[in-house]
Structure formats: C-alpha cells, structure tokens
Amino acid sequence: EVHFVESGGGSVHAGGSLRLSCAASGFNFDDYAIAWWRQVPGKEREPVSCIRSGEGRTWYVPSVKGRFTISSDNAKNAVYLQMNSLIPEDTALYYCARSAAAGFPGHLSLWDYWGQGTQVTVSS
C-alpha cells in the first residue's frame, strides 16, 4: 500500500524558512518522479518542484528558483523541500505526490498518489 506523509509546515513571517518532509512507504521512490505541489483556495493546484532522484534531476517553477531546494534521502525513502526567503505568495497547502511518467509531468492526471498536505502560511 502506497502512503505519503507530509510534515514541516507552519506559520512564518516573510523572509523566514521552513523545511517540508515527505515520508513515502509502499514503493521505492527512486523509480518515480516525486513532486511538491501547492494549492490555495479558488486556484488550480500548481507544481512547485520535482525530483527524479534515480536520474539526479530536479525541476522548479520559476517563482521559487533560488529560494527552494528539493532533495531526497534514499535510506529514509523521503523527499524534502527547503524553503528560504518565503513570501506571502508562498502561502498554500503543500502536497507531495508520485508519477511513473517520464520527465516532469505537468498534468494532475499523471500523478497517482498524494499525501494529505501540510499547510504553509507566510505573513507580511
């Protein structure tokens, strides 16, 4: 059975940092793309960052480049998102998910398992 458990969200002031964790079970994440997505009420879910750890490749949405860093820990079957220089526009519910598709899939339909999400709130 596949599970994702996200943690590390919280409330910070603009300029602060948070580190999100995604603990995976039931599969080897090296065989999949693992991504962080985020969603705010009334808006479409947005891909933020993706990692293909088995290939050593990462991707970031332009709005977070230079501020966020995605990484993985094979021994723990976990993926992390280090978020620095946070701004209010980063406020969202953050999810981790997996995809068996090639590259960095942008369609929600290509992501088959999702965690419950962890809330990030950035105040000005």
Side-chain angles (χ1 to χ4, degrees):
E1 185 177 358
V2 175
H3 287 286
F4 285 113
V5 179
E6 301 104 325
S7 61
S11 297
V12 298
H13 290 117
S17 297
L18 288 170
R19 186 174 187 249
L20 306 185
S21 298
C22 175
S25 62
F27 72 103
N28 183 352
F29 71 82
D30 279 346
D31 297 330
Y32 295 83
I34 308 295
W36 289 96
W37 293 64
R38 66 187 180 188
Q39 188 168 27
V40 299
K43 298 182 68 176
E44 294 183 352
R45 193 168 297 184
E46 173 192 34
V48 178
S49 185
C50 184
I51 186 167
R52 302 200 73 103
S53 59
E55 302 172 11
R57 295 195 293 149
T58 59
W59 174 89
Y60 301 91
V61 68
S63 62
V64 309
K65 286 182 178 179
R67 300 190 296 119
F68 292 9
T69 303
I70 192 168
S71 62
S72 62
D73 185 331
N74 291 354
K76 296 181 178 180
N77 214 41
V79 175
Y80 307 96
L81 187 67
Q82 178 66 46
M83 305 186 296
N84 297 327
S85 301
L86 285 161
I87 58 177
E89 290 75 17
D90 296 320
T91 296
L93 186 64
Y94 284 71
Y95 301 89
C96 61
R98 77 167 194 181
S99 177
F104 300 114
H107 289 282
L108 285 169
S109 63
L110 298 176
W111 298 83
D112 60 354
Y113 284 94
W114 298 78
Q116 291 295 112
T118 185
Q119 179 67 39
V120 171
T121 302
V122 185
S123 60
S124 60

